[in-house]
Amino acid sequence: MKSSFLILLCLSAWGPAAVAQNQPLPTPSATDRFVTRLMDKAGIPGLSIALIRHNTVVYSQGYGLTKADSTQRVTPATVFDAASLSKPVFAYAVLQLVEAGLLDLDKPLYEYLPYADVAADERYKKITTRLVLSHASGLPNWRKDRRSNQLAMRYNPGERFGYSGEGFVYLQKVVEKITGKPINELMIERVFKPLQMTRSSYVWQPAFEADFAYPHDKESNPEDKGRFTQPNMAYSLQTTADDYARFVLALLNAKGLKPATIEQMLSHQRQLPKTFSGTEPLSPGLFWGLGIGIESTPSGDYFWHWGDNGTFRCYVTADRKRGDGIVYFTNSFNGLDIADDMVQQFIGGEHPAPAFLGID
């Protein structure tokens, strides 16, 4: 949602303390102690987690408070901002439309719907669904003035990886045009109802009022909670860790999409740059699929994504071979500070550790 944000990328290898694959999960009490200790150290008021083992959710728990100055506890039903974790869910629905023949991955989007905001630059006519989902559309993450109807291209479409929320906004408009349905209605029909994601929506629902998380700044001060009235496929998803785990299971078990389509979604569409300015070299095993990140390692492939709306931060990763995964949401600016420890504890594997990298 922001013009500058944190992306979880792999920069350096884990040391000998890395958790071995296939080790049993810690007991619930040990898990609770571990998570609580990390939250206390990072200053995270509330967190919700769902753990997947062998394609099944085996543990789900809420920790801490929905608001630092309240007494309401986080539960598995507590609704959080998913931030950029909104994007993979939308990509899943988009690929359903591709399977149905309503959308072509490689047909220019302007042929479905011209986009006045960027029409002054003829290069936009080369933007396709594939390029949007793999973040190679050439559009910026967000336009400089969010109130402006003018959007400038940054790169030639297909030229390079460039993370872009604006690309998802354009694709959202195209999907609404070709289906003739409001986007949140389409997501309910194609994703939330079939996957039993009963506490999920891209716009605020009255049912969320009884149990939702407030955002908190770096010092754990609560802030006002925004209630999205307009859906945005790049960042407005409201959901729970339990609901999002159901989506992860759909990817692991090829539910709602043909196995071949899942393979394409989780394939290497675009390799991430070898370096970004001022950083160490990035792992050559980092790629982007169709709507989600891919990490290729000697022991297998993982898919992953992060969410960052500033004061809501969250993370998901899953091992395709083992069917293991973790989903966690926090109501804190500090929520991604614990990603490395969480992945090591609950996923493990011989792959580089996530580190934070700022991108404009």
Side-chain angles (χ1 to χ4, degrees):
M1 183 174 176
K2 306 187 301 176
S3 60
S4 179
F5 57 91
L6 292 175
I7 181 173
L8 284 163
L9 293 179
C10 301
L11 300 180
S12 58
W14 282 347
V19 175
Q21 289 177 304
N22 298 319
Q23 77 170 35
L25 278 175
T27 63
S29 60
T31 295
D32 294 347
R33 289 192 300 272
F34 177 81
V35 173
T36 301
R37 184 172 66 251
L38 288 184
M39 291 173 63
D40 290 344
K41 182 179 179 181
I44 297 171
L47 180 148
S48 185
I49 189 172
L51 299 175
I52 297 168
R53 276 291 168 103
H54 307 304
N55 300 312
T56 301
V57 174
V58 295
Y59 191 73
S60 174
Q61 188 60 270
Y63 300 92
L65 301 173
T66 61
K67 190 179 182 185
D69 59 2
S70 78
T71 59
Q72 185 175 21
R73 306 291 301 179
V74 173
T75 75
T78 300
V79 170
F80 288 78
D81 274 28
S84 285
L85 288 190
S86 304
K87 295 180 179 76
V89 182
F90 177 54
Y92 173 85
V94 166
L95 291 174
Q96 290 183 349
L97 300 179
V98 172
E99 284 190 349
L102 297 175
L103 192 62
D104 189 306
L105 278 172
D106 299 308
K107 181 177 178 178
L109 293 184
Y110 91 96
E111 294 185 24
Y112 297 103
L113 179 69
Y115 195 19
D117 289 22
V118 72
D121 191 328
E122 285 288 310
R123 292 180 295 173
Y124 103 95
K125 291 185 176 180
K126 295 181 179 180
I127 298 173
T128 65
T129 299
R130 187 188 302 277
L131 292 180
V132 168
L133 296 183
S134 61
H135 291 292
S137 68
L139 294 171
N141 186 29
W142 297 112
R143 64 193 73 192
K144 291 182 179 179
D145 182 356
R146 295 293 296 275
R147 294 170 294 183
S148 172
N149 61 1
Q150 297 300 308
L151 174 60
M153 300 282 297
R154 290 192 70 184
Y155 316 108
N156 295 323
E159 179 178 84
R160 53 163 290 181
F161 178 87
Y163 191 86
S164 176
E166 291 284 2
F168 275 70
V169 171
Y170 184 17
L171 185 55
Q172 172 183 335
K173 294 177 184 294
V174 169
V175 167
E176 289 183 312
K177 171 69 182 304
I178 65 177
T179 62
K181 292 183 178 181
I183 196 67
N184 196 60
E185 179 182 321
L186 183 75
M187 297 304 295
I188 292 170
E189 174 188 302
R190 286 191 166 269
V191 183
F192 300 149
K193 281 190 175 179
L195 299 185
Q196 298 181 326
M197 296 172 67
T198 59
R199 297 275 289 169
S200 298
S201 175
Y202 281 87
V203 293
W204 189 256
Q205 301 294 328
F208 298 162
E209 290 289 346
D211 192 359
F212 70 92
Y214 283 83
H216 294 77
D217 65 17
K218 190 173 184 178
E219 285 72 40
S220 298
N221 299 309
E223 299 183 353
D224 291 337
K225 164 64 179 162
R227 292 165 171 78
F228 294 110
T229 59
Q230 298 298 319
N232 188 306
M233 297 297 101
Y235 63 72
S236 73
L237 178 61
Q238 308 292 293
T239 191
T240 68
D242 273 3
D243 268 15
Y244 209 89
R246 292 184 177 93
F247 167 67
V248 173
L249 289 176
L251 299 186
L252 290 172
N253 297 319
K255 182 177 181 180
L257 288 173
K258 297 175 182 177
T261 304
I262 293 287
E263 287 299 321
Q264 190 170 24
M265 182 180 185
L266 303 180
S267 67
H268 299 170
Q269 298 289 319
R270 180 76 44 175
Q271 187 168 22
L272 296 194
K274 294 180 180 179
T275 62
F276 284 105
S277 178
T279 73
E280 300 176 41
L282 303 182
S283 165
L286 290 172
F287 300 83
W288 214 264
L290 294 176
I292 198 162
I294 310 296
E295 181 192 0
S296 289
T297 78
S299 60
D301 279 3
Y302 299 77
F303 59 83
W304 57 272
H305 212 294
W306 78 100
D308 175 7
N309 272 0
T311 47
F312 281 101
R313 289 178 172 171
C314 46
Y315 188 63
V316 59
T317 190
D319 180 329
R320 295 190 65 195
K321 183 178 180 180
R322 292 182 291 146
D324 295 353
I326 178 174
V327 178
Y328 81 84
F329 290 90
T330 76
N331 58 353
S332 174
F333 178 92
N334 306 318
L336 289 175
D337 293 357
I338 64 173
D340 186 3
D341 290 317
M342 294 284 267
V343 172
Q344 288 193 49
Q345 179 76 354
F346 299 116
I347 299 297
E350 298 299 324
H351 55 90
F356 300 121
L357 177 66
I359 297 181
D360 292 328

